[in-house]
PDB file of all heavy atoms in Angstrom:
ATOM      1  N   PRO A   1      -3.408 -68.761 137.841  1.00 65.00           N
ATOM      2  CA  PRO A   1      -3.363 -67.317 137.533  1.00 65.00           C
ATOM      3  C   PRO A   1      -1.948 -66.787 137.695  1.00 65.00           C
ATOM      4  O   PRO A   1      -1.202 -67.218 138.569  1.00 65.00           O
ATOM      5  CB  PRO A   1      -4.301 -66.710 138.570  1.00 65.00           C
ATOM      6  CG  PRO A   1      -4.381 -67.713 139.656  1.00 65.00           C
ATOM      7  CD  PRO A   1      -4.231 -69.061 139.000  1.00 65.00           C
ATOM      8  N   ILE A   2      -1.541 -65.855 136.831  1.00 62.00           N
ATOM      9  CA  ILE A   2      -0.207 -65.257 136.887  1.00 62.00           C
ATOM     10  C   ILE A   2      -0.127 -64.305 138.080  1.00 62.00           C
ATOM     11  O   ILE A   2      -0.972 -63.418 138.232  1.00 62.00           O
ATOM     12  CB  ILE A   2       0.095 -64.506 135.578  1.00 62.00           C
ATOM     13  CG1 ILE A   2       0.084 -65.472 134.396  1.00 62.00           C
ATOM     14  CG2 ILE A   2       1.427 -63.803 135.672  1.00 62.00           C
ATOM     15  CD1 ILE A   2       0.231 -64.795 133.067  1.00 62.00           C
ATOM     16  N   GLU A   3       0.879 -64.517 138.926  1.00 64.00           N
ATOM     17  CA  GLU A   3       1.038 -63.654 140.091  1.00 64.00           C
ATOM     18  C   GLU A   3       1.609 -62.304 139.682  1.00 64.00           C
ATOM     19  O   GLU A   3       2.611 -62.247 138.986  1.00 64.00           O
ATOM     20  CB  GLU A   3       1.972 -64.315 141.099  1.00 64.00           C
ATOM     21  CG  GLU A   3       2.143 -63.535 142.381  1.00 64.00           C
ATOM     22  CD  GLU A   3       3.059 -64.233 143.370  1.00 64.00           C
ATOM     23  OE1 GLU A   3       3.468 -65.372 143.079  1.00 64.00           O
ATOM     24  OE2 GLU A   3       3.352 -63.608 144.414  1.00 64.00           O
ATOM     25  N   LYS A   4       0.969 -61.236 140.094  1.00 63.00           N
ATOM     26  CA  LYS A   4       1.433 -59.902 139.752  1.00 63.00           C
ATOM     27  C   LYS A   4       2.665 -59.565 140.592  1.00 63.00           C
ATOM     28  O   LYS A   4       2.697 -59.778 141.801  1.00 63.00           O
ATOM     29  CB  LYS A   4       0.344 -58.868 140.014  1.00 63.00           C
ATOM     30  CG  LYS A   4      -0.865 -59.001 139.103  1.00 63.00           C
ATOM     31  CD  LYS A   4      -1.876 -57.909 139.379  1.00 63.00           C
ATOM     32  CE  LYS A   4      -1.350 -56.551 139.014  1.00 63.00           C
ATOM     33  NZ  LYS A   4      -2.365 -55.486 139.186  1.00 63.00           N
ATOM     34  N   LEU A   5       3.698 -59.062 139.918  1.00 59.00           N
ATOM     35  CA  LEU A   5       4.902 -58.664 140.621  1.00 59.00           C
ATOM     36  C   LEU A   5       4.688 -57.298 141.277  1.00 59.00           C
ATOM     37  O   LEU A   5       3.944 -56.466 140.770  1.00 59.00           O
ATOM     38  CB  LEU A   5       6.080 -58.585 139.638  1.00 59.00           C
ATOM     39  CG  LEU A   5       6.473 -59.904 138.968  1.00 59.00           C
ATOM     40  CD1 LEU A   5       7.572 -59.646 137.937  1.00 59.00           C
ATOM     41  CD2 LEU A   5       6.940 -60.902 139.999  1.00 59.00           C
ATOM     42  N   PRO A   6       5.322 -57.102 142.448  1.00 63.00           N
ATOM     43  CA  PRO A   6       5.176 -55.763 143.073  1.00 63.00           C
ATOM     44  C   PRO A   6       5.795 -54.699 142.200  1.00 63.00           C
ATOM     45  O   PRO A   6       6.766 -54.938 141.486  1.00 63.00           O
ATOM     46  CB  PRO A   6       5.964 -55.935 144.395  1.00 63.00           C
ATOM     47  CG  PRO A   6       6.896 -57.064 144.136  1.00 63.00           C
ATOM     48  CD  PRO A   6       6.176 -57.999 143.195  1.00 63.00           C
ATOM     49  N   PRO A   7       5.227 -53.511 142.177  1.00 70.00           N
ATOM     50  CA  PRO A   7       5.768 -52.438 141.347  1.00 70.00           C
ATOM     51  C   PRO A   7       7.148 -52.014 141.803  1.00 70.00           C
ATOM     52  O   PRO A   7       7.481 -52.090 142.975  1.00 70.00           O
ATOM     53  CB  PRO A   7       4.739 -51.309 141.527  1.00 70.00           C
ATOM     54  CG  PRO A   7       4.123 -51.572 142.871  1.00 70.00           C
ATOM     55  CD  PRO A   7       4.073 -53.079 142.991  1.00 70.00           C
ATOM     56  N   GLY A   8       7.994 -51.605 140.861  1.00 74.00           N
ATOM     57  CA  GLY A   8       9.327 -51.112 141.194  1.00 74.00           C
ATOM     58  C   GLY A   8       9.298 -49.672 141.616  1.00 74.00           C
ATOM     59  O   GLY A   8       8.246 -49.054 141.723  1.00 74.00           O
ATOM     60  N   PRO A   9      10.472 -49.106 141.877  1.00 80.00           N
ATOM     61  CA  PRO A   9      10.536 -47.701 142.258  1.00 80.00           C
ATOM     62  C   PRO A   9       9.949 -46.793 141.170  1.00 80.00           C
ATOM     63  O   PRO A   9      10.050 -47.086 139.991  1.00 80.00           O
ATOM     64  CB  PRO A   9      12.035 -47.434 142.434  1.00 80.00           C
ATOM     65  CG  PRO A   9      12.651 -48.780 142.625  1.00 80.00           C
ATOM     66  CD  PRO A   9      11.793 -49.713 141.826  1.00 80.00           C
ATOM     67  N   VAL A  10       9.313 -45.728 141.590  1.00 83.00           N
ATOM     68  CA  VAL A  10       8.727 -44.780 140.664  1.00 83.00           C
ATOM     69  C   VAL A  10       9.225 -43.384 141.032  1.00 83.00           C
ATOM     70  O   VAL A  10       9.738 -43.158 142.130  1.00 83.00           O
ATOM     71  CB  VAL A  10       7.174 -44.798 140.722  1.00 83.00           C
ATOM     72  CG1 VAL A  10       6.649 -46.172 140.317  1.00 83.00           C
ATOM     73  CG2 VAL A  10       6.692 -44.456 142.128  1.00 83.00           C
ATOM     74  N   PRO A  11       9.131 -42.427 140.095  1.00 83.00           N
ATOM     75  CA  PRO A  11       9.577 -41.063 140.391  1.00 83.00           C
ATOM     76  C   PRO A  11       8.963 -40.527 141.684  1.00 83.00           C
ATOM     77  O   PRO A  11       7.764 -40.636 141.914  1.00 83.00           O
ATOM     78  CB  PRO A  11       9.093 -40.275 139.167  1.00 83.00           C
ATOM     79  CG  PRO A  11       9.152 -41.285 138.069  1.00 83.00           C
ATOM     80  CD  PRO A  11       8.685 -42.568 138.692  1.00 83.00           C
ATOM     81  N   GLY A  12       9.806 -39.957 142.513  1.00 83.00           N
ATOM     82  CA  GLY A  12       9.359 -39.419 143.786  1.00 83.00           C
ATOM     83  C   GLY A  12       9.604 -40.311 144.970  1.00 83.00           C
ATOM     84  O   GLY A  12       9.542 -39.861 146.110  1.00 83.00           O
ATOM     85  N   ASP A  13       9.885 -41.617 144.731  1.00 90.00           N
ATOM     86  CA  ASP A  13      10.173 -42.519 145.837  1.00 90.00           C
ATOM     87  C   ASP A  13      11.520 -42.179 146.467  1.00 90.00           C
ATOM     88  O   ASP A  13      12.445 -41.735 145.778  1.00 90.00           O
ATOM     89  CB  ASP A  13      10.234 -43.961 145.340  1.00 90.00           C
ATOM     90  CG  ASP A  13       8.852 -44.586 145.165  1.00 90.00           C
ATOM     91  OD1 ASP A  13       7.872 -43.914 145.529  1.00 90.00           O
ATOM     92  OD2 ASP A  13       8.772 -45.720 144.669  1.00 90.00           O
ATOM     93  N   PRO A  14      11.676 -42.417 147.780  1.00 93.00           N
ATOM     94  CA  PRO A  14      13.007 -42.286 148.387  1.00 93.00           C
ATOM     95  C   PRO A  14      13.962 -43.332 147.783  1.00 93.00           C
ATOM     96  O   PRO A  14      13.529 -44.370 147.298  1.00 93.00           O
ATOM     97  CB  PRO A  14      12.742 -42.584 149.877  1.00 93.00           C
ATOM     98  CG  PRO A  14      11.281 -42.339 150.062  1.00 93.00           C
ATOM     99  CD  PRO A  14      10.632 -42.720 148.758  1.00 93.00           C
ATOM    100  N   PHE A  15      15.244 -43.053 147.793  1.00 95.00           N
ATOM    101  CA  PHE A  15      16.238 -44.006 147.328  1.00 95.00           C
ATOM    102  C   PHE A  15      17.450 -43.970 148.230  1.00 95.00           C
ATOM    103  O   PHE A  15      17.662 -42.983 148.946  1.00 95.00           O
ATOM    104  CB  PHE A  15      16.628 -43.729 145.867  1.00 95.00           C
ATOM    105  CG  PHE A  15      17.224 -42.372 145.637  1.00 95.00           C
ATOM    106  CD1 PHE A  15      18.612 -42.189 145.652  1.00 95.00           C
ATOM    107  CD2 PHE A  15      16.428 -41.269 145.392  1.00 95.00           C
ATOM    108  CE1 PHE A  15      19.165 -40.936 145.421  1.00 95.00           C
ATOM    109  CE2 PHE A  15      16.964 -40.016 145.167  1.00 95.00           C
ATOM    110  CZ  PHE A  15      18.349 -39.848 145.185  1.00 95.00           C
ATOM    111  N   SER A  16      18.233 -45.032 148.204  1.00 96.00           N
ATOM    112  CA  SER A  16      19.374 -45.155 149.112  1.00 96.00           C
ATOM    113  C   SER A  16      20.636 -45.514 148.343  1.00 96.00           C
ATOM    114  O   SER A  16      20.584 -46.104 147.257  1.00 96.00           O
ATOM    115  CB  SER A  16      19.079 -46.250 150.162  1.00 96.00           C
ATOM    116  OG  SER A  16      17.956 -45.946 150.934  1.00 96.00           O
ATOM    117  N   PHE A  17      21.773 -45.158 148.939  1.00 98.00           N
ATOM    118  CA  PHE A  17      23.063 -45.549 148.396  1.00 98.00           C
ATOM    119  C   PHE A  17      24.104 -45.401 149.492  1.00 98.00           C
ATOM    120  O   PHE A  17      23.816 -44.938 150.598  1.00 98.00           O
ATOM    121  CB  PHE A  17      23.436 -44.699 147.164  1.00 98.00           C
ATOM    122  CG  PHE A  17      23.435 -43.221 147.393  1.00 98.00           C
ATOM    123  CD1 PHE A  17      24.573 -42.562 147.854  1.00 98.00           C
ATOM    124  CD2 PHE A  17      22.301 -42.462 147.144  1.00 98.00           C
ATOM    125  CE1 PHE A  17      24.597 -41.185 148.071  1.00 98.00           C
ATOM    126  CE2 PHE A  17      22.302 -41.097 147.336  1.00 98.00           C
ATOM    127  CZ  PHE A  17      23.437 -40.451 147.802  1.00 98.00           C
ATOM    128  N   ARG A  18      25.343 -45.806 149.186  1.00 98.00           N
ATOM    129  CA  ARG A  18      26.447 -45.676 150.116  1.00 98.00           C
ATOM    130  C   ARG A  18      27.423 -44.630 149.567  1.00 98.00           C
ATOM    131  O   ARG A  18      27.839 -44.737 148.423  1.00 98.00           O
ATOM    132  CB  ARG A  18      27.129 -47.035 150.324  1.00 98.00           C
ATOM    133  CG  ARG A  18      28.235 -47.026 151.383  1.00 98.00           C
ATOM    134  CD  ARG A  18      28.579 -48.446 151.789  1.00 98.00           C
ATOM    135  NE  ARG A  18      27.465 -49.046 152.517  1.00 98.00           N
ATOM    136  CZ  ARG A  18      27.440 -50.329 152.883  1.00 98.00           C
ATOM    137  NH1 ARG A  18      28.458 -51.127 152.584  1.00 98.00           N
ATOM    138  NH2 ARG A  18      26.392 -50.799 153.537  1.00 98.00           N
ATOM    139  N   ILE A  19      27.794 -43.687 150.405  1.00 98.00           N
ATOM    140  CA  ILE A  19      28.659 -42.585 149.985  1.00 98.00           C
ATOM    141  C   ILE A  19      29.910 -42.588 150.859  1.00 98.00           C
ATOM    142  O   ILE A  19      29.847 -42.956 152.035  1.00 98.00           O
ATOM    143  CB  ILE A  19      27.913 -41.238 150.064  1.00 98.00           C
ATOM    144  CG1 ILE A  19      28.748 -40.100 149.469  1.00 98.00           C
ATOM    145  CG2 ILE A  19      27.472 -40.923 151.503  1.00 98.00           C
ATOM    146  CD1 ILE A  19      27.963 -38.797 149.306  1.00 98.00           C
ATOM    147  N   GLY A  20      31.054 -42.169 150.274  1.00 98.00           N
ATOM    148  CA  GLY A  20      32.300 -42.191 151.021  1.00 98.00           C
ATOM    149  C   GLY A  20      33.225 -41.061 150.651  1.00 98.00           C
ATOM    150  O   GLY A  20      33.014 -40.355 149.660  1.00 98.00           O
ATOM    151  N   THR A  21      34.283 -40.886 151.442  1.00 98.00           N
ATOM    152  CA  THR A  21      35.347 -39.952 151.144  1.00 98.00           C
ATOM    153  C   THR A  21      36.680 -40.621 151.490  1.00 98.00           C
ATOM    154  O   THR A  21      36.784 -41.325 152.504  1.00 98.00           O
ATOM    155  CB  THR A  21      35.198 -38.624 151.913  1.00 98.00           C
ATOM    156  OG1 THR A  21      36.232 -37.722 151.550  1.00 98.00           O
ATOM    157  CG2 THR A  21      35.217 -38.830 153.418  1.00 98.00           C
ATOM    158  N   LEU A  22      37.706 -40.429 150.612  1.00 98.00           N
ATOM    159  CA  LEU A  22      38.970 -41.146 150.764  1.00 98.00           C
ATOM    160  C   LEU A  22      40.122 -40.344 150.196  1.00 98.00           C
ATOM    161  O   LEU A  22      40.163 -40.067 148.982  1.00 98.00           O
ATOM    162  CB  LEU A  22      38.865 -42.514 150.060  1.00 98.00           C
ATOM    163  CG  LEU A  22      40.100 -43.408 150.105  1.00 98.00           C
ATOM    164  CD1 LEU A  22      40.508 -43.726 151.540  1.00 98.00           C
ATOM    165  CD2 LEU A  22      39.841 -44.680 149.309  1.00 98.00           C
ATOM    166  N   ASN A  23      41.024 -39.972 151.050  1.00 98.00           N
ATOM    167  CA  ASN A  23      42.294 -39.381 150.634  1.00 98.00           C
ATOM    168  C   ASN A  23      43.246 -40.542 150.323  1.00 98.00           C
ATOM    169  O   ASN A  23      43.634 -41.278 151.226  1.00 98.00           O
ATOM    170  CB  ASN A  23      42.873 -38.478 151.721  1.00 98.00           C
ATOM    171  CG  ASN A  23      44.141 -37.750 151.287  1.00 98.00           C
ATOM    172  OD1 ASN A  23      44.998 -38.311 150.609  1.00 98.00           O
ATOM    173  ND2 ASN A  23      44.261 -36.494 151.711  1.00 98.00           N
ATOM    174  N   ILE A  24      43.633 -40.701 149.050  1.00 97.00           N
ATOM    175  CA  ILE A  24      44.349 -41.908 148.645  1.00 97.00           C
ATOM    176  C   ILE A  24      45.859 -41.804 148.848  1.00 97.00           C
ATOM    177  O   ILE A  24      46.582 -42.759 148.567  1.00 97.00           O
ATOM    178  CB  ILE A  24      44.046 -42.273 147.171  1.00 97.00           C
ATOM    179  CG1 ILE A  24      44.688 -41.291 146.208  1.00 97.00           C
ATOM    180  CG2 ILE A  24      42.553 -42.379 146.946  1.00 97.00           C
ATOM    181  CD1 ILE A  24      44.637 -41.744 144.765  1.00 97.00           C
ATOM    182  N   LEU A  25      46.364 -40.641 149.346  1.00 96.00           N
ATOM    183  CA  LEU A  25      47.792 -40.400 149.567  1.00 96.00           C
ATOM    184  C   LEU A  25      48.546 -40.433 148.242  1.00 96.00           C
ATOM    185  O   LEU A  25      48.865 -41.480 147.695  1.00 96.00           O
ATOM    186  CB  LEU A  25      48.382 -41.428 150.546  1.00 96.00           C
ATOM    187  CG  LEU A  25      49.847 -41.177 150.963  1.00 96.00           C
ATOM    188  CD1 LEU A  25      50.020 -39.816 151.626  1.00 96.00           C
ATOM    189  CD2 LEU A  25      50.330 -42.277 151.873  1.00 96.00           C
ATOM    190  N   GLY A  26      48.805 -39.226 147.722  1.00 92.00           N
ATOM    191  CA  GLY A  26      49.378 -39.099 146.390  1.00 92.00           C
ATOM    192  C   GLY A  26      50.741 -39.758 146.216  1.00 92.00           C
ATOM    193  O   GLY A  26      51.477 -39.971 147.184  1.00 92.00           O
ATOM    194  N   SER A  27      51.040 -40.088 144.966  1.00 91.00           N
ATOM    195  CA  SER A  27      52.298 -40.753 144.639  1.00 91.00           C
ATOM    196  C   SER A  27      53.509 -39.934 145.049  1.00 91.00           C
ATOM    197  O   SER A  27      54.586 -40.475 145.319  1.00 91.00           O
ATOM    198  CB  SER A  27      52.369 -41.013 143.124  1.00 91.00           C
ATOM    199  OG  SER A  27      51.324 -41.843 142.717  1.00 91.00           O
ATOM    200  N   GLN A  28      53.376 -38.584 145.130  1.00 88.00           N
ATOM    201  CA  GLN A  28      54.495 -37.730 145.508  1.00 88.00           C
ATOM    202  C   GLN A  28      54.809 -37.817 146.993  1.00 88.00           C
ATOM    203  O   GLN A  28      55.896 -37.396 147.432  1.00 88.00           O
ATOM    204  CB  GLN A  28      54.227 -36.284 145.086  1.00 88.00           C
ATOM    205  CG  GLN A  28      53.329 -35.498 146.032  1.00 88.00           C
ATOM    206  CD  GLN A  28      51.850 -35.698 145.762  1.00 88.00           C
ATOM    207  OE1 GLN A  28      51.425 -36.737 145.241  1.00 88.00           O
ATOM    208  NE2 GLN A  28      51.053 -34.697 146.123  1.00 88.00           N
ATOM    209  N   HIS A  29      53.883 -38.372 147.767  1.00 89.00           N
ATOM    210  CA  HIS A  29      54.076 -38.449 149.219  1.00 89.00           C
ATOM    211  C   HIS A  29      54.632 -39.816 149.668  1.00 89.00           C
ATOM    212  O   HIS A  29      55.277 -39.913 150.717  1.00 89.00           O
ATOM    213  CB  HIS A  29      52.757 -38.212 149.960  1.00 89.00           C
ATOM    214  CG  HIS A  29      52.235 -36.827 149.786  1.00 89.00           C
ATOM    215  ND1 HIS A  29      52.989 -35.696 150.021  1.00 89.00           N
ATOM    216  CD2 HIS A  29      51.007 -36.383 149.365  1.00 89.00           C
ATOM    217  CE1 HIS A  29      52.264 -34.612 149.795  1.00 89.00           C
ATOM    218  NE2 HIS A  29      51.049 -35.000 149.383  1.00 89.00           N
ATOM    219  N   LYS A  30      54.341 -40.875 148.895  1.00 90.00           N
ATOM    220  CA  LYS A  30      54.766 -42.213 149.302  1.00 90.00           C
ATOM    221  C   LYS A  30      54.894 -43.075 148.054  1.00 90.00           C
ATOM    222  O   LYS A  30      54.104 -42.950 147.130  1.00 90.00           O
ATOM    223  CB  LYS A  30      53.751 -42.821 150.276  1.00 90.00           C
ATOM    224  CG  LYS A  30      54.125 -44.193 150.811  1.00 90.00           C
ATOM    225  CD  LYS A  30      53.053 -44.715 151.769  1.00 90.00           C
ATOM    226  CE  LYS A  30      53.410 -46.094 152.269  1.00 90.00           C
ATOM    227  NZ  LYS A  30      52.384 -46.633 153.208  1.00 90.00           N
ATOM    228  N   SER A  31      55.906 -43.940 148.039  1.00 90.00           N
ATOM    229  CA  SER A  31      56.126 -44.810 146.888  1.00 90.00           C
ATOM    230  C   SER A  31      54.992 -45.820 146.713  1.00 90.00           C
ATOM    231  O   SER A  31      54.176 -46.021 147.629  1.00 90.00           O
ATOM    232  CB  SER A  31      57.453 -45.561 147.042  1.00 90.00           C
ATOM    233  OG  SER A  31      57.399 -46.410 148.176  1.00 90.00           O
ATOM    234  N   GLY A  32      54.990 -46.456 145.553  1.00 92.00           N
ATOM    235  CA  GLY A  32      53.948 -47.444 145.261  1.00 92.00           C
ATOM    236  C   GLY A  32      52.587 -46.831 145.034  1.00 92.00           C
ATOM    237  O   GLY A  32      51.550 -47.459 145.359  1.00 92.00           O
ATOM    238  N   GLY A  33      52.580 -45.632 144.475  1.00 94.00           N
ATOM    239  CA  GLY A  33      51.297 -44.928 144.304  1.00 94.00           C
ATOM    240  C   GLY A  33      50.294 -45.676 143.452  1.00 94.00           C
ATOM    241  O   GLY A  33      49.086 -45.702 143.770  1.00 94.00           O
ATOM    242  N   THR A  34      50.723 -46.309 142.383  1.00 97.00           N
ATOM    243  CA  THR A  34      49.777 -46.997 141.495  1.00 97.00           C
ATOM    244  C   THR A  34      49.256 -48.287 142.122  1.00 97.00           C
ATOM    245  O   THR A  34      48.069 -48.592 142.018  1.00 97.00           O
ATOM    246  CB  THR A  34      50.433 -47.306 140.141  1.00 97.00           C
ATOM    247  OG1 THR A  34      51.656 -48.027 140.338  1.00 97.00           O
ATOM    248  CG2 THR A  34      50.752 -46.023 139.384  1.00 97.00           C
ATOM    249  N   SER A  35      50.152 -49.036 142.779  1.00 97.00           N
ATOM    250  CA  SER A  35      49.671 -50.261 143.428  1.00 97.00           C
ATOM    251  C   SER A  35      48.743 -49.935 144.591  1.00 97.00           C
ATOM    252  O   SER A  35      47.756 -50.634 144.834  1.00 97.00           O
ATOM    253  CB  SER A  35      50.845 -51.116 143.900  1.00 97.00           C
ATOM    254  OG  SER A  35      51.636 -50.410 144.850  1.00 97.00           O
ATOM    255  N   ARG A  36      49.012 -48.852 145.300  1.00 97.00           N
ATOM    256  CA  ARG A  36      48.112 -48.430 146.384  1.00 97.00           C
ATOM    257  C   ARG A  36      46.767 -47.986 145.816  1.00 97.00           C
ATOM    258  O   ARG A  36      45.717 -48.279 146.395  1.00 97.00           O
ATOM    259  CB  ARG A  36      48.773 -47.321 147.198  1.00 97.00           C
ATOM    260  CG  ARG A  36      49.974 -47.800 148.008  1.00 97.00           C
ATOM    261  CD  ARG A  36      50.505 -46.742 148.973  1.00 97.00           C
ATOM    262  NE  ARG A  36      51.155 -45.624 148.277  1.00 97.00           N
ATOM    263  CZ  ARG A  36      50.612 -44.437 148.081  1.00 97.00           C
ATOM    264  NH1 ARG A  36      49.368 -44.194 148.503  1.00 97.00           N
ATOM    265  NH2 ARG A  36      51.275 -43.470 147.451  1.00 97.00           N
ATOM    266  N   ALA A  37      46.796 -47.261 144.689  1.00 97.00           N
ATOM    267  CA  ALA A  37      45.554 -46.841 144.082  1.00 97.00           C
ATOM    268  C   ALA A  37      44.721 -48.044 143.638  1.00 97.00           C
ATOM    269  O   ALA A  37      43.490 -48.055 143.767  1.00 97.00           O
ATOM    270  CB  ALA A  37      45.852 -45.930 142.884  1.00 97.00           C
ATOM    271  N   SER A  38      45.399 -49.072 143.107  1.00 97.00           N
ATOM    272  CA  SER A  38      44.688 -50.272 142.697  1.00 97.00           C
ATOM    273  C   SER A  38      44.030 -50.975 143.893  1.00 97.00           C
ATOM    274  O   SER A  38      42.878 -51.406 143.819  1.00 97.00           O
ATOM    275  CB  SER A  38      45.658 -51.235 142.005  1.00 97.00           C
ATOM    276  OG  SER A  38      45.027 -52.452 141.626  1.00 97.00           O
ATOM    277  N   ALA A  39      44.778 -51.048 145.003  1.00 98.00           N
ATOM    278  CA  ALA A  39      44.218 -51.674 146.209  1.00 98.00           C
ATOM    279  C   ALA A  39      43.027 -50.889 146.725  1.00 98.00           C
ATOM    280  O   ALA A  39      42.015 -51.469 147.161  1.00 98.00           O
ATOM    281  CB  ALA A  39      45.308 -51.770 147.286  1.00 98.00           C
TER     282      ALA A  39
END
């Protein structure tokens, strides 16, 4: 018999993610602004 897969998320379910905040230090304040932004 084919095993039924558990149902996925549906509208109304709780959901999770990772959130952040980052001041990247603008190019006018320190050299290497683009390479720092890439990093």
Side-chain angles (χ1 to χ4, degrees):
I2 298 175
E3 183 179 355
K4 294 182 66 175
L5 297 175
V10 298
D13 280 355
F15 60 94
S16 299
F17 56 88
R18 186 164 292 174
I19 188 170
T21 183
L22 179 59
N23 185 320
I24 71 169
L25 186 59
S27 299
Q28 80 276 26
H29 295 307
K30 183 180 178 180
S31 62
T34 55
S35 61
R36 291 188 290 102
S38 178

